[in-house]
């Protein structure tokens, strides 16, 4: 339905500023085969030009909204959710989401980290392209059974297809915002703050082994990313408040922004799994559905290799420094 809505606008003469590609994937349940083949076959173009990948897996099978993905795209999803009416009639998707999660006034609804188990893996785990996913779920029991059918959905899961429609509206709004934003709507302040939480988890894992890893370089590099992100946000807001930036300014700025999360990948990948290049999140090697944060460090910790864990921590610090450099270049391009 999102593709249909966008196509209808294109037929009327509208053109997005960026290329949009809608895809459905074969053989997800057999190992993410279709999406992985696509990513590997078109990797050079995707690495250079892909702005984001939006994933829909189980888009509507109940009344409870949920989401996850790259921290850099979470604020945009929350903004979109504020604009889409919830099928319950009790307000926006966002307001109902908050209410069901009993979120404190000072917090945001919880979102999942992008580990594995769905078609975003090739885009995020392999190439470092920011991803976001969302959908409606609930108690069921029919998933992956012979009852997972049109009859079950039209009778029990979402009889009026209102939740399907809401999920599609979120998709359409997300696609259009990414397609038409003059400056790409990434949020690296939120990203950096999430990284600080992951560092605390990583230190706790090391402490459980009675290790004393030196996290000072990594901590400082995460702080540096947050400071650079705040400076970028201020510069971006100042420029956009004056109107549309020139095409040259937008092009240079966005080219640098797209390198921020790419910098947090490593060409040679994880030591245990070279295909997994992303050093922020990866599927747990013991459970493809589970998420592991800072996998290069935490896999070494789980293996009991303290010297490797320290080396990986220092290596990740240099990756964050490169990400910060890309963000500083984006700020300079704006100015």
């Amino acid at each position: 339905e999102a593709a249909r809505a966008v196509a209808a606008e294109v037929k009327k003469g509208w053109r997005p500023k960026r290329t949009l590609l809608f895809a459905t994937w074969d053989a997800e349940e057999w190992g993410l085969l279709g999406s992985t083949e696509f990513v590997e076959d078109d990797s050079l173009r995707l690495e250079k030009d892909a702005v984001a990948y939006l994933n829909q897996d189980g888009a509507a099978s109940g009344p409870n909204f949920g989401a996850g993905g790259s921290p850099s795209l979470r604020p945009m999803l929350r903004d979109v959710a504020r604009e889409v009416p919830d099928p319950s009639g009790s307000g926006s998707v966002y307001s109902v989401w908050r209410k069901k999660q009993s979120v404190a006034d000072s917090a945001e609804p919880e979102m999942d980290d992008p580990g594995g188990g769905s078609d975003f893996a090739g885009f995020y785990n392999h190439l470092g392209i920011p991803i976001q996913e969302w959908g409606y779920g609930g108690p069921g029991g029919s998933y992956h059974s012979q009852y997972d059918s049109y009859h079950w959905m039209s009778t029990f899961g979402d009889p009026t297809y209102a939740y399907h429609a809401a999920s599609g509206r979120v998709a359409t709004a997300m696609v259009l915002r990414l397609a038409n934003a003059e400056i790409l709507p990434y949020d690296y302040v939120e990203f950096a703050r999430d990284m600080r939480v992951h560092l605390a988890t990583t230190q706790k894992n090391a402490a459980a082994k009675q290790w004393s890893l030196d996290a000072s370089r990594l901590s400082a590099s995460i702080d540096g990313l947050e400071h650079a992100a705040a400076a970028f946000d201020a510069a971006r807001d100042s420029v956009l408040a004056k109107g549309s930036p020139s095409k040259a300014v937008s092009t240079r700025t966005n080219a640098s922004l797209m390198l921020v999360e790419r910098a947090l990948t490593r060409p040679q990948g994880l030591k245990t799994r070279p295909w997994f290049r992303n050093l922020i999140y990866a599927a747990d090697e013991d459970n493809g559905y589970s998420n592991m944060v800072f996998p290069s460090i935490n896999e070494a910790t789980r293996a009991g290799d303290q010297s490797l864990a320290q080396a990986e921590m220092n290596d990740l610090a240099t990756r964050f420094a490169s990400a910060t450099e890309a963000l500083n270049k984006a700020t300079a391009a704006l100015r």
Side-chain angles (χ1 to χ4, degrees):
E1 287 304 311
R4 195 192 312 276
V6 171
E9 295 303 308
V10 170
K11 289 173 183 176
K12 294 176 186 176
W14 171 80
R15 289 293 181 272
K17 293 180 180 178
R18 298 182 177 89
T19 300
L20 304 178
L21 176 62
F22 290 89
T24 60
W25 307 116
D26 289 331
E28 190 259 9
E29 294 292 358
W30 281 264
L32 315 179
L33 300 184
S35 58
T36 300
E37 288 296 325
F38 175 85
V39 166
E40 293 180 341
D41 187 55
D42 208 14
S43 60
L44 295 179
R45 187 168 68 107
L46 290 169
E47 281 187 284
K48 179 177 179 292
D49 294 326
V51 166
Y53 170 73
L54 305 179
N55 196 59
Q56 289 271 255
D57 184 351
S61 59
N64 302 321
F65 186 79
S70 306
S72 56
L73 292 178
R74 291 176 188 174
M76 182 180 65
L77 178 61
R78 291 195 294 264
D79 286 347
V80 166
R82 289 183 177 95
E83 303 298 326
V84 176
D86 190 79
S88 66
S90 300
S92 68
V93 170
Y94 177 78
S95 63
V96 174
W97 184 21
R98 285 189 66 93
K99 184 176 181 180
K100 286 189 175 182
Q101 284 199 8
S102 300
V103 177
D105 290 345
S106 58
E108 293 289 355
E110 185 177 347
M111 293 197 201
D112 296 329
D113 295 323
S118 192
D119 284 307
F120 64 78
F123 297 88
Y124 188 77
N125 297 148
H126 190 54
L127 297 183
I129 296 165
I131 69 104
Q132 192 65 229
E133 62 178 347
W134 63 90
Y136 282 93
S142 65
Y143 182 60
H144 285 185
S145 79
Q146 64 179 335
Y147 301 104
D148 196 354
S149 64
Y150 174 79
H151 173 75
W152 181 88
M153 185 62 72
S154 59
T155 307
F156 304 107
D158 186 14
T160 65
Y161 284 80
Y163 290 94
H164 282 73
S167 194
R169 291 186 180 106
V170 172
T172 307
M174 291 281 283
V175 164
L176 296 183
R177 289 199 181 196
L178 284 163
N180 292 321
E182 292 172 316
I183 304 299
L184 291 170
Y186 302 139
D187 189 318
Y188 287 110
V189 171
E190 178 155 337
F191 186 95
R193 290 173 180 170
D194 269 43
M195 297 306 105
R196 196 171 291 116
V197 173
H198 298 330
L199 178 56
T201 300
T202 301
Q203 290 177 292
K204 183 178 179 180
N205 292 341
K209 290 186 173 292
Q210 298 183 325
W211 293 355
S212 181
L213 297 181
D214 181 4
S216 58
R217 286 181 58 191
L218 181 53
S219 179
S221 65
I222 293 171
D223 289 345
L225 180 66
E226 183 176 356
H227 294 321
F232 171 79
D233 287 355
R236 176 202 59 207
D237 293 348
S238 176
V239 167
L240 293 178
K242 298 172 184 174
S244 297
S246 70
K247 184 176 180 180
V249 167
S250 295
T251 299
R252 288 197 302 271
T253 302
N254 291 330
S256 293
L257 281 176
M258 288 172 61
L259 295 177
V260 176
E261 281 176 81
R262 305 292 206 277
L264 298 169
T265 65
R266 185 166 63 190
Q268 63 269 38
L270 300 177
K271 291 187 181 297
T272 54
R273 297 171 286 165
W275 187 87
F276 285 80
R277 300 175 182 174
N278 198 304
L279 301 181
I280 304 303
Y281 301 108
D284 190 312
E285 61 183 334
D286 294 335
N287 180 348
Y289 283 102
S290 295
N291 178 63
M292 178 173 278
V293 300
F294 293 175
S296 60
I297 304 169
N298 283 305
E299 285 189 355
T301 301
R302 188 160 64 183
D305 192 333
Q306 183 174 358
S307 62
L308 178 59
Q310 183 65 68
E312 293 286 13
M313 187 170 278
N314 294 338
D315 177 78
L316 186 55
T318 66
R319 310 287 168 181
F320 273 106
S322 296
T324 299
E325 182 181 359
L327 202 47
N328 287 334
K329 286 181 178 179
T331 304
L334 276 176
R335 290 173 175 163

